Amino acid sequence: MTLKPLIAATRDELAAAREDVRERTLALVPTMGALHEGHRSLIRRARELADVVAVSIFVNPLQFGPGEDLNRYPRTFADDIRACEEEGVDLVFAPAPEVMYPATPEVTVSSGRMGAVVEGIQRPGHFDGVLTVVTKLFNLVRPTHALFGEKDAQQLAAIRRMARDLDVPVEIVGCPTVREPDGLALSSRNRYLSAAERRTALVLSLALRTGAELVTKGPDEVLRAAQEVLDDAAEADPPLVLDYLALIDPATFTGVDSLHTGPAVLAVAGKVGTTHLIDNMPLSFPAEES
C-alpha cells in the first residue's frame, strides 16, 4: 500500500517531523512545485542515497525579479502531493511565504561573481534569492543530501560553491537533465508554451546537439555551429529571441577560450513568446595530440 507523505506547513511541524528521524540520513529535493518527470527522477535518486526523502514545495519570491512570472508561476499542489505519494516521498515541507520569511529579510546570501554572469545578466539578483532560500531550507530541514537538476547548471554550480565556501554540511548531488522524446528539456514553464511556441523552443536542444557534434573541432567550431541554428530560429514563427549562447567552465561559470580542453558546459537561453527558457549540455574537449 502506498503511504501518503507527511505534510509539514509550519516550522514547528517540520521540526517535529525532523526530530522523529534525527538519527537517519535525509535527502532533500527542493522544488517550486509543478512537479514533472524531472523532479520525479530527483526523488528516485534521493531514495537511493538516504533513509528518508523530503521534498520542499515553495515558490520563492526572492528569486523573481520585477516583471517576472511570480504571480502566474504554476501552482499545482494537489497534483504535486499525488506525485510525491506515487514516488514514496516521506516528508513534504510546504510553507506559506510568511512562514518562510516571517519578516522581510535584511541579511541574504550573495552569489558573488557567479551570480552576475550568464543567466545572472538576464536576471539580476536571481541567484542571491536562490542561495538565500536554499540556505534557509538547509537550516530548517537539516538534510544530509540535497539534489538538484543539471538543467539549471549555473544554479547547481552556485549552490556547490556556497556549500564549499560556507562549510555547509550537506552533500550536493547533481542529476542529469530529463528531456521529452523530441529533446525539449523538462521545465515547469513549458506549460506556458503554445503548440507553435513549443515547436520553436525545440531549437534550443537542437543547437546544443549540433554544437556538441563538433566537440573534437574545438570551442570555436562548437559555438559557430550552435549559433547558426539559433540564427535560423530568429526567423521562425514565432521567433526565438536569443538571450545568450555561452561555453563556460562548469565549476566557475567563467567563459572558456578557444584552446580550452576538458569539461565545459554549452549553455543557451532565449525567450519564446513571453516564456524564458534555458538549456545546456555538458561537453568535454579533448586535448590535442602531440
Side-chain angles (χ1 to χ4, degrees):
M1 182 178 67
T2 301
L3 298 177
K4 294 182 180 296
L6 176 65
I7 301 174
T10 70
R11 291 167 178 251
D12 287 344
E13 290 171 349
L14 175 62
R18 191 63 182 92
E19 182 65 16
D20 286 342
V21 294
R22 64 184 182 279
E23 301 299 330
R24 304 171 70 188
T25 56
L26 185 149
L28 172 65
V29 180
T31 83
M32 294 204 299
L35 303 185
H36 51 63
E37 185 59 30
H39 297 111
R40 286 176 179 256
S41 72
L42 299 179
I43 294 169
R44 292 170 196 148
R45 178 61 178 143
R47 176 58 66 199
E48 297 173 352
L49 295 173
D51 302 322
V52 178
V53 174
V55 171
S56 63
I57 298 175
F58 178 66
V59 181
N60 176 36
L62 263 62
Q63 67 192 71
F64 289 80
E68 292 190 355
D69 58 344
L70 173 60
N71 290 331
R72 74 179 185 118
Y73 193 86
R75 292 162 170 85
T76 58
F77 187 72
D79 289 340
D80 294 342
I81 295 302
R82 189 175 305 112
C84 288
E85 181 179 343
E86 291 170 355
E87 297 298 337
V89 170
D90 302 293
L91 171 64
V92 174
F93 180 43
E98 59 270 21
V99 171
M100 203 66 185
Y101 300 109
T104 301
E106 293 190 16
V107 178
T108 57
V109 180
S110 170
S111 55
R113 182 207 57 79
M114 287 186 71
V117 297
V118 194
E119 183 71 6
I121 296 173
Q122 308 300 318
R123 306 182 69 187
H126 169 71
F127 291 107
D128 293 354
V130 169
L131 295 188
T132 297
V133 77
V134 167
T135 299
K136 290 173 71 68
L137 287 169
F138 286 175
N139 287 335
L140 291 166
V141 180
R142 291 177 287 126
T144 54
H145 303 72
L147 292 89
F148 300 88
E150 293 176 352
K151 184 181 80 71
D152 297 295
Q154 189 169 359
Q155 171 181 281
L156 176 58
I159 291 169
R160 280 179 165 152
R161 187 58 186 256
M162 177 191 73
R164 176 183 130 187
D165 287 353
L166 301 183
D167 296 311
V168 180
V170 179
E171 181 179 343
I172 309 300
V173 181
C175 297
T177 300
V178 178
R179 299 181 180 276
E180 298 281 5
D182 58 12
L184 184 67
L186 289 182
S187 168
S188 299
R189 288 186 169 93
N190 288 351
R191 66 187 66 202
Y192 297 158
L193 301 171
S194 68
E197 289 169 344
R198 194 185 183 288
R199 286 193 294 272
T200 295
L202 292 175
V203 77
L204 296 174
S205 58
L206 175 61
L208 296 177
R209 293 195 305 272
T210 301
E213 289 174 355
L214 297 180
V215 68
T216 58
K217 303 294 185 182
D220 290 346
E221 283 300 300
V222 167
L223 285 170
R224 181 197 59 76
Q227 186 65 58
E228 285 185 358
V229 174
L230 297 167
D231 288 344
D232 289 343
E235 306 300 322
D237 183 20
L240 171 75
V241 180
L242 182 65
D243 289 325
Y244 59 80
L245 172 69
L247 258 176
I248 39 81
D249 182 287
T252 66
F253 260 69
T254 54
V256 304
D257 62 31
S258 60
L259 300 179
H260 178 79
T261 59
V265 172
L266 182 60
V268 66
K271 183 174 288 187
V272 182
T274 61
T275 305
H276 177 71
L277 299 171
I278 65 172
D279 202 351
N280 73 82
M281 183 171 290
L283 304 176
S284 184
F285 289 95
E288 292 187 9
E289 295 182 3
S290 57

